[in-house]
Amino acid sequence: MEKQKNRTVYGRRQSRPLKESQKDLWKNLFPAVNLHLESLPNSYPENVIFEIGFGGGENIAYQAINNPNAICIGCEPFINGVASLLSKIAAENITNIKIFNDDAKILLNAMPDKLISKTFILFPDPWPKNRHHSRRIVNMENLLLIRQKMKKAGEIIIATDHLGYLDWVLKVIKQPLFLENFKITHTPDLPRPSEEEIPATRYEKKALENRPGAFFKFTTI
Ligand SMILES: C[S@@+](CC[C@H](N)C(=O)[O-])C[C@H]1O[C@@H](n2cnc3c(N)ncnc32)[C@H](O)[C@@H]1O
């Protein structure tokens, strides 16, 4: 068991066992797309798209296909999510995705500054209980870390379907420190960004059965 003080990932790492075809991809494809902290690339293209918690990989696969000159780096500690993305990579012959199968903060801390052009955090785990709020990935400390790793005028996109999380983000973005570092360009009172820009993930489609997603966009100053 991981000791509590060393834990950086709070959700499940795996639900069901991988199917045989997924085990095969894990053995034969994952090593080629797996991003190791010890061997991060020395050079990157101008357009670096980053996703924290890509779930089944719908958005990152879409962004990779539609931005062939970009490198898309996705972080997802959940093994079954990574396996779903591997299936998409194989089916669509995607060559511009790298996967970090762990906590996004570990990778952010290791990567060069001023690298990322766009960051997606779509429907992060809401951690609704008060005592778990400190686990929420969207907080001032993490936003400032992401900003440090982003280019000037880079874009951060956050979506949530959870009313408590929506309030939480609204409180974070009212703080002077946030406003010194980010320009708010889209708030949930505006219509959802088009699905051409951000496809609906599996999670969003499920969540939409209950309530619509709230989308925020910020650019780095
Ligand atoms: C509610 S799901 C949403 C998945 C996906 N973005 C979507 O919209 O379908 C939240 C995801 O964040 C991942 N996650 C949780 N903590 C994380 C962390 N510290 N770094 C990266 N991903 C994380 C979870 O494993 C989970 O897949």
Side-chain angles (χ1 to χ4, degrees):
M1 274 293 269
E2 265 177 308
K3 290 216 177 77
Q4 188 65 34
K5 70 181 167 62
N6 293 329
R7 268 183 93 167
T8 56
V9 173
Y10 294 101
R12 308 176 291 175
R13 296 296 290 248
Q14 182 158 14
S15 54
R16 53 195 186 282
L18 299 187
K19 295 182 215 149
E20 284 309 312
S21 59
Q22 291 176 320
K23 279 189 198 159
D24 195 45
L25 288 172
W26 199 277
K27 190 164 158 233
N28 296 310
L29 175 59
F30 185 53
V33 298
N34 186 10
L35 202 57
H36 290 282
L37 289 186
E38 314 79 57
S39 53
L40 290 179
N42 291 324
S43 66
Y44 296 82
E46 181 58 23
N47 193 5
V48 177
I49 298 174
F50 186 62
E51 181 158 4
I52 297 179
F54 58 70
E58 296 84 4
N59 176 59
I60 196 155
Y62 177 88
Q63 298 301 336
I65 292 167
N66 287 282
N67 297 281
N69 296 326
I71 175 98
C72 296
I73 302 175
C75 300
E76 179 51 70
F78 188 50
I79 307 265
N80 302 83
V82 173
S84 295
L85 178 57
L86 291 177
S87 303
K88 293 178 180 67
I89 292 173
E92 306 281 342
N93 284 320
I94 300 173
T95 56
N96 56 341
I97 290 185
K98 290 282 179 197
I99 298 176
F100 185 65
N101 178 215
D102 207 332
D103 178 4
K105 293 188 290 292
I106 298 174
L107 178 59
L108 278 164
N109 276 308
M111 68 168 52
D113 289 354
K114 301 192 171 101
L115 180 77
I116 304 168
S117 329
K118 196 179 262 198
T119 299
F120 291 94
I121 312 177
L122 303 178
F123 304 93
D125 293 322
W127 295 113
K129 292 185 180 144
N130 280 345
R131 69 173 189 279
H132 290 155
H133 284 181
S134 61
R135 298 179 178 186
R136 289 177 167 173
I137 199 98
V138 178
N139 59 40
M140 187 67 82
E141 189 185 339
N142 290 342
L143 288 173
L144 292 177
L145 174 61
I146 295 167
R147 180 190 175 279
Q148 188 187 327
K149 303 298 166 176
M150 291 192 70
K151 295 183 164 69
K152 207 166 172 202
E155 188 169 58
I156 302 184
I157 296 164
I158 295 174
T160 183
D161 65 313
H162 186 269
L163 290 179
Y165 214 100
L166 171 61
D167 278 348
W168 173 269
V169 179
L170 287 169
K171 276 189 195 123
V172 172
I173 69 173
K174 270 194 196 123
Q175 294 180 40
L177 190 53
F178 179 87
L179 296 167
E180 282 162 26
N181 285 285
F182 298 94
K183 183 169 158 215
I184 300 169
T185 54
H186 185 103
T187 46
D189 44 319
L190 296 167
R192 184 202 186 282
S194 76
E195 288 208 31
E196 230 164 77
E197 184 187 349
I198 310 167
T201 60
R202 195 163 154 261
Y203 186 90
E204 182 179 4
K205 284 184 187 148
K206 270 197 328 201
L208 279 176
E209 288 167 14
N210 301 320
R211 61 178 81 95
F215 281 76
F216 293 88
K217 288 193 204 177
F218 319 121
T219 51
T220 54
I221 296 175

